[in-house]
Amino acid sequence: MIKFTKMHGLGNDYIYIDAIHQNIENRSSLARLLSNRHFGIGSDGLILISKSDVADFKMEMFNSDGSQAEMCGNGIRCVGKFVYDKGLTNQTTINIETLAGIKTLILNVKEGKVETVRVDMGEPILAPEKIPVMAIEEPVQNLKVTAIDKEFKFTCVSMGNPHAITIVEDVETFDVKKYGKILEVASVFPNKTNVEFVEIEDKEHIKMRVWERGSGETLACGTGACATVVACYLNGITNRHAYVELLRRNFRNTMESRR
């Protein structure tokens, strides 16, 4: 028997397991099994919380297809709530080890429970070889990739995991599944990529849908929202401060470009 908790951040849902007090084997296979929305618990993936030699806790994240990811902004915020509410820590500032480095969380606690969590996502990575993307220019702002009948222009950013951001006219009606699954695995992205389809409302308001690497379209993506603001600011489309609206549930997330 495995004890788990199902949580979501802005609709980005994961299965969380305390791997400190439970021995979890075959983690990739387990992620595929549990994430199945018809025959499993159903989720965008699996997140395990373990001991760390370099931080307070370690977060291991697996997408619904079993592939391991470096980082998840919504997921790590839920990790903060998990470890506090479960009594694994009594600290309100904690460090979490991830494959994208150590991330610091600030927990807002009310009446003994975590109400909100703030995470320092770190500086965006723009060097093409570190994103990674097969391009020469830095930053990568006009990468052309063709999928079926459309040519897309991408700005590429890493927030510890790869993102490719493109502008579309009407994001609500855009066929994210049709193009997302092809663009994710395009040859110019050696480690695949998360794809953000973006509509600009004004200098401070962005609408975004995301095709997540290894999971398909999800309701939200924290690293993707950050990468999108960075990309839009680099291209002079938005200000340094912008709202990112995630259409499917009308959620809004405020992100600040750090460049």
Side-chain angles (χ1 to χ4, degrees), residues 38-54:
H38 298 289
F39 300 102
I41 299 165
S43 68
D44 291 331
L46 172 67
I47 291 179
L48 300 111
I49 297 98
S50 309
K51 292 181 180 179
S52 172
D53 295 328
V54 295

Side-chain angles (χ1 to χ4, degrees), residues 45-117:
L46 172 67
I47 291 179
L48 300 111
I49 297 98
S50 309
K51 292 181 180 179
S52 172
D53 295 328
V54 295
D56 297 308
F57 299 95
K58 180 179 180 180
M59 178 181 99
E60 293 181 83
M61 173 189 170
F62 294 86
N63 297 311
S64 59
D65 70 350
S67 60
Q68 190 166 11
E70 301 89 347
M71 170 60 182
C72 174
N74 290 311
I76 200 170
R77 292 190 302 115
C78 288
V79 168
K81 180 172 176 62
F82 184 100
V83 297
Y84 190 93
D85 288 3
K86 297 288 186 181
L88 300 179
T89 184
N90 60 3
Q91 303 298 309
T92 56
T93 298
I94 58 175
N95 294 319
I96 307 293
E97 177 188 355
T98 76
L99 290 180
I102 296 175
K103 306 297 181 182
T104 300
L105 306 181
I106 299 174
L107 314 182
N108 175 29
V109 178
K110 291 188 177 180
E111 298 181 354
K113 298 290 184 180
V114 173
E115 187 170 82
T116 60
V117 179

Side-chain angles (χ1 to χ4, degrees), residues 162-164 174-185 192-197 208-221 224 248:
H163 293 271
F174 188 82
D175 196 335
V176 168
K177 181 178 180 180
K178 176 180 177 180
Y179 296 103
K181 63 182 180 181
I182 296 172
L183 294 168
E184 173 194 351
V185 299
K192 303 183 183 180
T193 193
N194 300 286
V195 186
E196 281 76 33
F197 300 95
M208 184 191 92
R209 287 172 66 186
V210 58
W211 180 269
E212 286 204 54
R213 178 184 56 164
S215 295
E217 184 173 14
T218 61
L219 298 181
C221 179
R248 284 297 183 88

